[in-house]
PDB file of all heavy atoms in Angstrom:
ATOM      1  N   ALA A   7       5.208   7.746   4.996  1.00 96.00           N
ATOM      2  CA  ALA A   7       4.132   7.546   4.008  1.00 96.00           C
ATOM      3  C   ALA A   7       4.683   6.916   2.734  1.00 96.00           C
ATOM      4  O   ALA A   7       4.083   5.986   2.180  1.00 96.00           O
ATOM      5  CB  ALA A   7       3.433   8.866   3.712  1.00 96.00           C
ATOM      6  N   THR A   8       5.821   7.393   2.288  1.00 97.00           N
ATOM      7  CA  THR A   8       6.450   6.849   1.082  1.00 97.00           C
ATOM      8  C   THR A   8       6.856   5.400   1.286  1.00 97.00           C
ATOM      9  O   THR A   8       6.584   4.539   0.442  1.00 97.00           O
ATOM     10  CB  THR A   8       7.673   7.698   0.685  1.00 97.00           C
ATOM     11  OG1 THR A   8       7.234   9.041   0.428  1.00 97.00           O
ATOM     12  CG2 THR A   8       8.377   7.144  -0.538  1.00 97.00           C
ATOM     13  N   ARG A   9       7.501   5.112   2.412  1.00 98.00           N
ATOM     14  CA  ARG A   9       7.939   3.744   2.701  1.00 98.00           C
ATOM     15  C   ARG A   9       6.754   2.797   2.839  1.00 98.00           C
ATOM     16  O   ARG A   9       6.788   1.662   2.368  1.00 98.00           O
ATOM     17  CB  ARG A   9       8.774   3.699   3.987  1.00 98.00           C
ATOM     18  CG  ARG A   9      10.105   4.400   3.904  1.00 98.00           C
ATOM     19  CD  ARG A   9      11.060   3.668   3.059  1.00 98.00           C
ATOM     20  NE  ARG A   9      11.610   2.522   3.726  1.00 98.00           N
ATOM     21  CZ  ARG A   9      12.818   2.050   3.509  1.00 98.00           C
ATOM     22  NH1 ARG A   9      13.610   2.646   2.668  1.00 98.00           N
ATOM     23  NH2 ARG A   9      13.236   0.975   4.120  1.00 98.00           N
ATOM     24  N   MET A  10       5.703   3.264   3.523  1.00 98.00           N
ATOM     25  CA  MET A  10       4.530   2.421   3.728  1.00 98.00           C
ATOM     26  C   MET A  10       3.895   2.066   2.387  1.00 98.00           C
ATOM     27  O   MET A  10       3.580   0.898   2.131  1.00 98.00           O
ATOM     28  CB  MET A  10       3.520   3.121   4.636  1.00 98.00           C
ATOM     29  CG  MET A  10       2.318   2.272   4.971  1.00 98.00           C
ATOM     30  SD  MET A  10       2.682   0.848   6.017  1.00 98.00           S
ATOM     31  CE  MET A  10       2.346   1.523   7.606  1.00 98.00           C
ATOM     32  N   ARG A  11       3.720   3.052   1.535  1.00 97.00           N
ATOM     33  CA  ARG A  11       3.143   2.821   0.204  1.00 97.00           C
ATOM     34  C   ARG A  11       3.975   1.787  -0.556  1.00 97.00           C
ATOM     35  O   ARG A  11       3.455   0.819  -1.102  1.00 97.00           O
ATOM     36  CB  ARG A  11       3.062   4.121  -0.585  1.00 97.00           C
ATOM     37  CG  ARG A  11       2.457   4.005  -1.969  1.00 97.00           C
ATOM     38  CD  ARG A  11       2.456   5.328  -2.739  1.00 97.00           C
ATOM     39  NE  ARG A  11       1.979   6.447  -1.957  1.00 97.00           N
ATOM     40  CZ  ARG A  11       2.766   7.426  -1.460  1.00 97.00           C
ATOM     41  NH1 ARG A  11       4.071   7.408  -1.685  1.00 97.00           N
ATOM     42  NH2 ARG A  11       2.243   8.403  -0.763  1.00 97.00           N
ATOM     43  N   HIS A  12       5.271   2.009  -0.596  1.00 98.00           N
ATOM     44  CA  HIS A  12       6.187   1.122  -1.322  1.00 98.00           C
ATOM     45  C   HIS A  12       6.129  -0.306  -0.760  1.00 98.00           C
ATOM     46  O   HIS A  12       6.018  -1.285  -1.508  1.00 98.00           O
ATOM     47  CB  HIS A  12       7.611   1.684  -1.230  1.00 98.00           C
ATOM     48  CG  HIS A  12       8.641   0.835  -1.868  1.00 98.00           C
ATOM     49  ND1 HIS A  12       8.818   0.756  -3.229  1.00 98.00           N
ATOM     50  CD2 HIS A  12       9.551  -0.014  -1.320  1.00 98.00           C
ATOM     51  CE1 HIS A  12       9.796  -0.091  -3.495  1.00 98.00           C
ATOM     52  NE2 HIS A  12      10.256  -0.563  -2.359  1.00 98.00           N
ATOM     53  N   THR A  13       6.204  -0.423   0.557  1.00 98.00           N
ATOM     54  CA  THR A  13       6.204  -1.738   1.200  1.00 98.00           C
ATOM     55  C   THR A  13       4.885  -2.469   0.967  1.00 98.00           C
ATOM     56  O   THR A  13       4.882  -3.666   0.644  1.00 98.00           O
ATOM     57  CB  THR A  13       6.493  -1.602   2.704  1.00 98.00           C
ATOM     58  OG1 THR A  13       7.797  -1.033   2.856  1.00 98.00           O
ATOM     59  CG2 THR A  13       6.427  -2.939   3.416  1.00 98.00           C
ATOM     60  N   LEU A  14       3.760  -1.771   1.121  1.00 97.00           N
ATOM     61  CA  LEU A  14       2.460  -2.414   0.919  1.00 97.00           C
ATOM     62  C   LEU A  14       2.279  -2.846  -0.532  1.00 97.00           C
ATOM     63  O   LEU A  14       1.773  -3.943  -0.791  1.00 97.00           O
ATOM     64  CB  LEU A  14       1.329  -1.499   1.373  1.00 97.00           C
ATOM     65  CG  LEU A  14       1.272  -1.224   2.879  1.00 97.00           C
ATOM     66  CD1 LEU A  14       0.145  -0.244   3.200  1.00 97.00           C
ATOM     67  CD2 LEU A  14       1.138  -2.497   3.690  1.00 97.00           C
ATOM     68  N   HIS A  15       2.705  -2.008  -1.459  1.00 97.00           N
ATOM     69  CA  HIS A  15       2.624  -2.393  -2.880  1.00 97.00           C
ATOM     70  C   HIS A  15       3.440  -3.660  -3.131  1.00 97.00           C
ATOM     71  O   HIS A  15       2.955  -4.592  -3.785  1.00 97.00           O
ATOM     72  CB  HIS A  15       3.118  -1.255  -3.775  1.00 97.00           C
ATOM     73  CG  HIS A  15       2.088  -0.238  -4.087  1.00 97.00           C
ATOM     74  ND1 HIS A  15       1.912   0.291  -5.340  1.00 97.00           N
ATOM     75  CD2 HIS A  15       1.159   0.360  -3.306  1.00 97.00           C
ATOM     76  CE1 HIS A  15       0.930   1.167  -5.313  1.00 97.00           C
ATOM     77  NE2 HIS A  15       0.458   1.223  -4.091  1.00 97.00           N
ATOM     78  N   ASN A  16       4.670  -3.690  -2.636  1.00 97.00           N
ATOM     79  CA  ASN A  16       5.526  -4.864  -2.836  1.00 97.00           C
ATOM     80  C   ASN A  16       4.929  -6.110  -2.196  1.00 97.00           C
ATOM     81  O   ASN A  16       4.972  -7.199  -2.790  1.00 97.00           O
ATOM     82  CB  ASN A  16       6.927  -4.616  -2.274  1.00 97.00           C
ATOM     83  CG  ASN A  16       7.746  -3.724  -3.160  1.00 97.00           C
ATOM     84  OD1 ASN A  16       7.419  -3.488  -4.317  1.00 97.00           O
ATOM     85  ND2 ASN A  16       8.826  -3.197  -2.602  1.00 97.00           N
ATOM     86  N   LEU A  17       4.387  -5.963  -1.004  1.00 96.00           N
ATOM     87  CA  LEU A  17       3.784  -7.092  -0.309  1.00 96.00           C
ATOM     88  C   LEU A  17       2.598  -7.647  -1.108  1.00 96.00           C
ATOM     89  O   LEU A  17       2.459  -8.859  -1.271  1.00 96.00           O
ATOM     90  CB  LEU A  17       3.338  -6.649   1.089  1.00 96.00           C
ATOM     91  CG  LEU A  17       3.002  -7.712   2.117  1.00 96.00           C
ATOM     92  CD1 LEU A  17       4.193  -8.627   2.380  1.00 96.00           C
ATOM     93  CD2 LEU A  17       2.554  -7.046   3.415  1.00 96.00           C
ATOM     94  N   LEU A  18       1.777  -6.758  -1.627  1.00 95.00           N
ATOM     95  CA  LEU A  18       0.629  -7.185  -2.430  1.00 95.00           C
ATOM     96  C   LEU A  18       1.065  -7.870  -3.729  1.00 95.00           C
ATOM     97  O   LEU A  18       0.554  -8.935  -4.077  1.00 95.00           O
ATOM     98  CB  LEU A  18      -0.280  -5.992  -2.735  1.00 95.00           C
ATOM     99  CG  LEU A  18      -1.057  -5.434  -1.551  1.00 95.00           C
ATOM    100  CD1 LEU A  18      -1.688  -4.096  -1.909  1.00 95.00           C
ATOM    101  CD2 LEU A  18      -2.104  -6.427  -1.061  1.00 95.00           C
ATOM    102  N   ILE A  19       2.013  -7.263  -4.414  1.00 96.00           N
ATOM    103  CA  ILE A  19       2.504  -7.840  -5.669  1.00 96.00           C
ATOM    104  C   ILE A  19       3.080  -9.229  -5.422  1.00 96.00           C
ATOM    105  O   ILE A  19       2.813 -10.171  -6.165  1.00 96.00           O
ATOM    106  CB  ILE A  19       3.541  -6.900  -6.336  1.00 96.00           C
ATOM    107  CG1 ILE A  19       2.830  -5.645  -6.868  1.00 96.00           C
ATOM    108  CG2 ILE A  19       4.298  -7.616  -7.446  1.00 96.00           C
ATOM    109  CD1 ILE A  19       3.776  -4.512  -7.241  1.00 96.00           C
ATOM    110  N   HIS A  20       3.867  -9.359  -4.361  1.00 95.00           N
ATOM    111  CA  HIS A  20       4.459 -10.650  -4.024  1.00 95.00           C
ATOM    112  C   HIS A  20       3.381 -11.703  -3.752  1.00 95.00           C
ATOM    113  O   HIS A  20       3.575 -12.891  -4.043  1.00 95.00           O
ATOM    114  CB  HIS A  20       5.387 -10.513  -2.811  1.00 95.00           C
ATOM    115  CG  HIS A  20       6.146 -11.754  -2.508  1.00 95.00           C
ATOM    116  ND1 HIS A  20       5.702 -12.696  -1.605  1.00 95.00           N
ATOM    117  CD2 HIS A  20       7.309 -12.229  -3.004  1.00 95.00           C
ATOM    118  CE1 HIS A  20       6.559 -13.689  -1.550  1.00 95.00           C
ATOM    119  NE2 HIS A  20       7.542 -13.434  -2.380  1.00 95.00           N
ATOM    120  N   ALA A  21       2.244 -11.273  -3.224  1.00 95.00           N
ATOM    121  CA  ALA A  21       1.147 -12.201  -2.931  1.00 95.00           C
ATOM    122  C   ALA A  21       0.254 -12.436  -4.145  1.00 95.00           C
ATOM    123  O   ALA A  21      -0.749 -13.140  -4.058  1.00 95.00           O
ATOM    124  CB  ALA A  21       0.312 -11.661  -1.778  1.00 95.00           C
ATOM    125  N   GLY A  22       0.611 -11.826  -5.283  1.00 95.00           N
ATOM    126  CA  GLY A  22      -0.168 -12.014  -6.503  1.00 95.00           C
ATOM    127  C   GLY A  22      -1.417 -11.154  -6.570  1.00 95.00           C
ATOM    128  O   GLY A  22      -2.341 -11.447  -7.320  1.00 95.00           O
ATOM    129  N   ILE A  23      -1.432 -10.081  -5.788  1.00 94.00           N
ATOM    130  CA  ILE A  23      -2.579  -9.170  -5.757  1.00 94.00           C
ATOM    131  C   ILE A  23      -2.173  -7.869  -6.434  1.00 94.00           C
ATOM    132  O   ILE A  23      -1.137  -7.291  -6.114  1.00 94.00           O
ATOM    133  CB  ILE A  23      -3.011  -8.878  -4.305  1.00 94.00           C
ATOM    134  CG1 ILE A  23      -3.398 -10.185  -3.597  1.00 94.00           C
ATOM    135  CG2 ILE A  23      -4.169  -7.875  -4.272  1.00 94.00           C
ATOM    136  CD1 ILE A  23      -3.548 -10.055  -2.093  1.00 94.00           C
ATOM    137  N   THR A  24      -2.978  -7.424  -7.370  1.00 93.00           N
ATOM    138  CA  THR A  24      -2.711  -6.136  -8.017  1.00 93.00           C
ATOM    139  C   THR A  24      -2.964  -5.039  -6.995  1.00 93.00           C
ATOM    140  O   THR A  24      -4.063  -4.977  -6.420  1.00 93.00           O
ATOM    141  CB  THR A  24      -3.637  -5.948  -9.238  1.00 93.00           C
ATOM    142  OG1 THR A  24      -3.455  -7.058 -10.119  1.00 93.00           O
ATOM    143  CG2 THR A  24      -3.338  -4.652  -9.957  1.00 93.00           C
ATOM    144  N   PRO A  25      -1.963  -4.183  -6.716  1.00 92.00           N
ATOM    145  CA  PRO A  25      -2.144  -3.151  -5.698  1.00 92.00           C
ATOM    146  C   PRO A  25      -3.409  -2.305  -5.867  1.00 92.00           C
ATOM    147  O   PRO A  25      -4.042  -1.948  -4.878  1.00 92.00           O
ATOM    148  CB  PRO A  25      -0.877  -2.300  -5.815  1.00 92.00           C
ATOM    149  CG  PRO A  25       0.151  -3.276  -6.274  1.00 92.00           C
ATOM    150  CD  PRO A  25      -0.596  -4.180  -7.227  1.00 92.00           C
ATOM    151  N   SER A  26      -3.791  -2.016  -7.100  1.00 89.00           N
ATOM    152  CA  SER A  26      -4.982  -1.181  -7.308  1.00 89.00           C
ATOM    153  C   SER A  26      -6.260  -1.881  -6.834  1.00 89.00           C
ATOM    154  O   SER A  26      -7.271  -1.221  -6.612  1.00 89.00           O
ATOM    155  CB  SER A  26      -5.112  -0.789  -8.776  1.00 89.00           C
ATOM    156  OG  SER A  26      -5.275  -1.937  -9.592  1.00 89.00           O
ATOM    157  N   GLN A  27      -6.213  -3.190  -6.618  1.00 89.00           N
ATOM    158  CA  GLN A  27      -7.380  -3.918  -6.116  1.00 89.00           C
ATOM    159  C   GLN A  27      -7.517  -3.812  -4.601  1.00 89.00           C
ATOM    160  O   GLN A  27      -8.608  -3.947  -4.068  1.00 89.00           O
ATOM    161  CB  GLN A  27      -7.283  -5.409  -6.468  1.00 89.00           C
ATOM    162  CG  GLN A  27      -7.359  -5.697  -7.942  1.00 89.00           C
ATOM    163  CD  GLN A  27      -7.094  -7.171  -8.212  1.00 89.00           C
ATOM    164  OE1 GLN A  27      -6.340  -7.831  -7.511  1.00 89.00           O
ATOM    165  NE2 GLN A  27      -7.729  -7.676  -9.255  1.00 89.00           N
ATOM    166  N   LYS A  28      -6.424  -3.590  -3.897  1.00 92.00           N
ATOM    167  CA  LYS A  28      -6.433  -3.672  -2.436  1.00 92.00           C
ATOM    168  C   LYS A  28      -5.904  -2.409  -1.758  1.00 92.00           C
ATOM    169  O   LYS A  28      -6.423  -2.003  -0.725  1.00 92.00           O
ATOM    170  CB  LYS A  28      -5.590  -4.879  -2.017  1.00 92.00           C
ATOM    171  CG  LYS A  28      -5.556  -5.163  -0.568  1.00 92.00           C
ATOM    172  CD  LYS A  28      -6.678  -6.064  -0.158  1.00 92.00           C
ATOM    173  CE  LYS A  28      -6.506  -6.470   1.299  1.00 92.00           C
ATOM    174  NZ  LYS A  28      -7.747  -6.718   1.950  1.00 92.00           N
ATOM    175  N   TYR A  29      -4.864  -1.793  -2.315  1.00 95.00           N
ATOM    176  CA  TYR A  29      -4.219  -0.653  -1.672  1.00 95.00           C
ATOM    177  C   TYR A  29      -5.124   0.571  -1.710  1.00 95.00           C
ATOM    178  O   TYR A  29      -5.785   0.845  -2.711  1.00 95.00           O
ATOM    179  CB  TYR A  29      -2.881  -0.340  -2.364  1.00 95.00           C
ATOM    180  CG  TYR A  29      -2.186   0.846  -1.752  1.00 95.00           C
ATOM    181  CD1 TYR A  29      -1.490   0.716  -0.561  1.00 95.00           C
ATOM    182  CD2 TYR A  29      -2.258   2.098  -2.347  1.00 95.00           C
ATOM    183  CE1 TYR A  29      -0.868   1.806   0.014  1.00 95.00           C
ATOM    184  CE2 TYR A  29      -1.637   3.187  -1.777  1.00 95.00           C
ATOM    185  CZ  TYR A  29      -0.944   3.050  -0.597  1.00 95.00           C
ATOM    186  OH  TYR A  29      -0.337   4.121  -0.021  1.00 95.00           O
ATOM    187  N   HIS A  30      -5.127   1.316  -0.598  1.00 96.00           N
ATOM    188  CA  HIS A  30      -5.981   2.494  -0.466  1.00 96.00           C
ATOM    189  C   HIS A  30      -5.117   3.655   0.034  1.00 96.00           C
ATOM    190  O   HIS A  30      -4.732   3.702   1.199  1.00 96.00           O
ATOM    191  CB  HIS A  30      -7.109   2.188   0.529  1.00 96.00           C
ATOM    192  CG  HIS A  30      -8.228   3.160   0.515  1.00 96.00           C
ATOM    193  ND1 HIS A  30      -8.085   4.465   0.917  1.00 96.00           N
ATOM    194  CD2 HIS A  30      -9.526   3.006   0.156  1.00 96.00           C
ATOM    195  CE1 HIS A  30      -9.252   5.074   0.814  1.00 96.00           C
ATOM    196  NE2 HIS A  30     -10.144   4.202   0.345  1.00 96.00           N
ATOM    197  N   GLU A  31      -4.815   4.595  -0.849  1.00 97.00           N
ATOM    198  CA  GLU A  31      -3.898   5.692  -0.528  1.00 97.00           C
ATOM    199  C   GLU A  31      -4.410   6.570   0.609  1.00 97.00           C
ATOM    200  O   GLU A  31      -3.657   6.938   1.508  1.00 97.00           O
ATOM    201  CB  GLU A  31      -3.625   6.547  -1.770  1.00 97.00           C
ATOM    202  CG  GLU A  31      -2.696   7.720  -1.524  1.00 97.00           C
ATOM    203  CD  GLU A  31      -1.274   7.346  -1.140  1.00 97.00           C
ATOM    204  OE1 GLU A  31      -0.818   6.230  -1.469  1.00 97.00           O
ATOM    205  OE2 GLU A  31      -0.600   8.174  -0.497  1.00 97.00           O
ATOM    206  N   THR A  32      -5.694   6.926   0.595  1.00 97.00           N
ATOM    207  CA  THR A  32      -6.212   7.814   1.643  1.00 97.00           C
ATOM    208  C   THR A  32      -6.146   7.136   3.005  1.00 97.00           C
ATOM    209  O   THR A  32      -5.705   7.753   3.981  1.00 97.00           O
ATOM    210  CB  THR A  32      -7.638   8.272   1.318  1.00 97.00           C
ATOM    211  OG1 THR A  32      -7.589   9.063   0.115  1.00 97.00           O
ATOM    212  CG2 THR A  32      -8.230   9.111   2.437  1.00 97.00           C
ATOM    213  N   LEU A  33      -6.565   5.887   3.091  1.00 97.00           N
ATOM    214  CA  LEU A  33      -6.491   5.194   4.379  1.00 97.00           C
ATOM    215  C   LEU A  33      -5.048   5.060   4.853  1.00 97.00           C
ATOM    216  O   LEU A  33      -4.759   5.254   6.041  1.00 97.00           O
ATOM    217  CB  LEU A  33      -7.147   3.812   4.289  1.00 97.00           C
ATOM    218  CG  LEU A  33      -8.655   3.792   4.442  1.00 97.00           C
ATOM    219  CD1 LEU A  33      -9.200   2.391   4.158  1.00 97.00           C
ATOM    220  CD2 LEU A  33      -9.077   4.254   5.824  1.00 97.00           C
ATOM    221  N   THR A  34      -4.148   4.743   3.949  1.00 97.00           N
ATOM    222  CA  THR A  34      -2.747   4.593   4.325  1.00 97.00           C
ATOM    223  C   THR A  34      -2.190   5.906   4.866  1.00 97.00           C
ATOM    224  O   THR A  34      -1.610   5.948   5.955  1.00 97.00           O
ATOM    225  CB  THR A  34      -1.907   4.107   3.125  1.00 97.00           C
ATOM    226  OG1 THR A  34      -2.417   2.840   2.705  1.00 97.00           O
ATOM    227  CG2 THR A  34      -0.434   3.993   3.484  1.00 97.00           C
ATOM    228  N   ARG A  35      -2.365   6.974   4.130  1.00 97.00           N
ATOM    229  CA  ARG A  35      -1.824   8.274   4.552  1.00 97.00           C
ATOM    230  C   ARG A  35      -2.529   8.786   5.815  1.00 97.00           C
ATOM    231  O   ARG A  35      -1.883   9.327   6.718  1.00 97.00           O
ATOM    232  CB  ARG A  35      -1.975   9.278   3.408  1.00 97.00           C
ATOM    233  CG  ARG A  35      -1.436  10.654   3.688  1.00 97.00           C
ATOM    234  CD  ARG A  35       0.075  10.654   3.732  1.00 97.00           C
ATOM    235  NE  ARG A  35       0.570  11.957   4.095  1.00 97.00           N
ATOM    236  CZ  ARG A  35       1.766  12.413   3.822  1.00 97.00           C
ATOM    237  NH1 ARG A  35       2.620  11.655   3.164  1.00 97.00           N
ATOM    238  NH2 ARG A  35       2.148  13.598   4.197  1.00 97.00           N
ATOM    239  N   ALA A  36      -3.842   8.598   5.898  1.00 97.00           N
ATOM    240  CA  ALA A  36      -4.588   9.061   7.071  1.00 97.00           C
ATOM    241  C   ALA A  36      -4.127   8.321   8.335  1.00 97.00           C
ATOM    242  O   ALA A  36      -3.987   8.933   9.400  1.00 97.00           O
ATOM    243  CB  ALA A  36      -6.080   8.885   6.852  1.00 97.00           C
ATOM    244  N   TRP A  37      -3.864   7.030   8.212  1.00 97.00           N
ATOM    245  CA  TRP A  37      -3.384   6.293   9.387  1.00 97.00           C
ATOM    246  C   TRP A  37      -1.960   6.686   9.755  1.00 97.00           C
ATOM    247  O   TRP A  37      -1.617   6.735  10.942  1.00 97.00           O
ATOM    248  CB  TRP A  37      -3.524   4.785   9.183  1.00 97.00           C
ATOM    249  CG  TRP A  37      -4.889   4.333   9.585  1.00 97.00           C
ATOM    250  CD1 TRP A  37      -5.913   3.947   8.761  1.00 97.00           C
ATOM    251  CD2 TRP A  37      -5.418   4.288  10.905  1.00 97.00           C
ATOM    252  NE1 TRP A  37      -7.028   3.659   9.493  1.00 97.00           N
ATOM    253  CE2 TRP A  37      -6.758   3.852  10.826  1.00 97.00           C
ATOM    254  CE3 TRP A  37      -4.898   4.573  12.169  1.00 97.00           C
ATOM    255  CZ2 TRP A  37      -7.565   3.695  11.948  1.00 97.00           C
ATOM    256  CZ3 TRP A  37      -5.710   4.414  13.289  1.00 97.00           C
ATOM    257  CH2 TRP A  37      -7.023   3.979  13.169  1.00 97.00           C
ATOM    258  N   ILE A  38      -1.140   6.999   8.781  1.00 97.00           N
ATOM    259  CA  ILE A  38       0.203   7.525   9.087  1.00 97.00           C
ATOM    260  C   ILE A  38       0.053   8.827   9.885  1.00 97.00           C
ATOM    261  O   ILE A  38       0.725   9.030  10.900  1.00 97.00           O
ATOM    262  CB  ILE A  38       1.022   7.771   7.792  1.00 97.00           C
ATOM    263  CG1 ILE A  38       1.379   6.444   7.112  1.00 97.00           C
ATOM    264  CG2 ILE A  38       2.260   8.618   8.067  1.00 97.00           C
ATOM    265  CD1 ILE A  38       2.502   5.668   7.758  1.00 97.00           C
TER     266      ILE A  38
END
């Protein structure tokens, strides 16, 4: 869960997307 959060945040930032616009903690953790 920690790695997924970190990786997705970095991927979004690298793509110029603010993580708070796209990242969803509940969906990420629930799918883990």
